[in-house]
């Protein structure tokens, strides 16, 4: 559990405990609590509305960011595979060089750039070497006037956009200030509910209060998790790129049985 998650759980639990203690002390001093019950309820209602709306809004923002990251990961893997297949129609030696670069790029993304996603996202120079190679080979095809040039450039452009989206979505979409404001609002709501428990309360009141606190805490932990799509418990894996790397590596071995890839299994260049 991350530090943010730990602080969140402690904040809600503390608010619940403080609210119950304050409720107990308040009840000991009451003689006629009818008007008091009404005033407490009136104060809690707008606080509850604010907390629920805030959670709903933040969950939507975090979910959209998570969805965009997942879509970008699939799109990037698909475009690398497409680039390899389109390169099959290019003339030699560009055909072999482009396909080799595609294989090495997919390996570098999986081995070198993916670990950076858990740290907030950054481009790995190991992978960027191969995307630079793409453009170099495209220029050679452009000079030849090859028909595959435009198709390759289009596939590479979509790959580049998907990569950039994946990297940008690795950073939290929700500012820290907004998240902690939400924690304070939910903690205050739980504390207010505990403080406003009726004088004649039974086990059901405590059970429902604990369920409410658990749901609020779960919502906060869920938001924290999906707002870091590449490092949380429900993180996005590199399975799509792994499958692409394995697939086009096998294709390269079949298409160019006498050639050696210019990179190792991690995508690092081994030959010029």
């Amino acid at each position: 559990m991350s530090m943010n998650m730990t602080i969140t759980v402690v904040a809600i639990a503390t608010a619940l405990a403080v609210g119950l203690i304050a409720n107990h002390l308040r009840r000991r001093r009451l003689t006629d609590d009818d008007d008091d019950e009404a005033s407490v309820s009136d104060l809690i209602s707008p606080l509850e509305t604010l907390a629920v709306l805030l959670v709903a809004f933040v969950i939507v923002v975090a979910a959209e960011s998570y969805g965009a990251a997942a879509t970008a990961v699939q799109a990037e893997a698909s475009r690398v595979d497409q680039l390899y297949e389109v390169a099959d129609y290019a003339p030699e030696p560009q055909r072999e060089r482009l396909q080799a670069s595609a294989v090495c790029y997919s390996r570098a993304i999986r081995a070198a750039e993916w670990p950076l996603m858990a740290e907030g996202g950054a481009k790995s120079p190991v992978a960027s070497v191969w995307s630079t190679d793409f453009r170099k080979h495209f220029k050679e095809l452009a000079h030849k006037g090859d028909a595959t040039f435009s198709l390759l450039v289009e596939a590479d452009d979509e790959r580049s956009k998907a990569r950039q989206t994946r990297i940008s979505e690795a950073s939290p979409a929700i500012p820290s200030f907004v998240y902690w404001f939400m924690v304070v609002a939910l903690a205050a709501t739980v504390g207010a509910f505990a403080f406003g428990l009726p004088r004649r309360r039974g086990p059901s009141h405590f059970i429902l209060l604990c369920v409410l606190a658990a749901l609020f805490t779960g919502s906060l932990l869920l938001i924290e998790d999906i707002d870091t799509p590449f490092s949380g418990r429900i993180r996005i894996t590199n399975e799509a790129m792994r499958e692409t790397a394995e697939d086009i590596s096998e294709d390269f071995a079949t298409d160019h049985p006498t050639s050696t890839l210019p990179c190792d299994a991690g995508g690092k260049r081994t030959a010029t």
Side-chain angles (χ1 to χ4, degrees), residues 42-52 184-190 192-193:
D42 290 341
L43 290 173
I44 293 176
S45 181
L47 183 60
E48 176 188 8
T49 302
L50 170 64
V52 171
V184 171
L186 293 184
T189 302
V190 171
F193 275 120

Side-chain angles (χ1 to χ4, degrees), residues 1-11 179-180 221 224:
M1 182 179 290
S2 68
M3 180 62 69
N4 285 354
M5 290 185 174
T6 301
I7 295 175
T8 297
V9 173
V10 171
Y179 178 81
W180 291 116
L221 297 183
E224 170 73 13

Side-chain angles (χ1 to χ4, degrees), residues 235-246:
R235 61 182 174 273
I236 301 170
T237 67
N238 64 356
E239 184 67 17
M241 189 60 78
R242 183 190 66 79
E243 292 178 355
T244 294
E246 292 178 354

Side-chain angles (χ1 to χ4, degrees), residues 120-151:
K123 285 188 176 182
S124 168
V126 178
S128 295
V129 164
W130 304 111
S131 61
T132 300
D133 268 16
F134 291 154
R135 292 187 290 273
K136 181 179 71 175
H137 302 320
F138 293 161
K139 290 179 181 179
E140 295 172 355
L141 290 174
H143 291 156
K144 292 182 177 181
D146 190 83
T148 60
F149 171 74
S150 59
L151 296 176

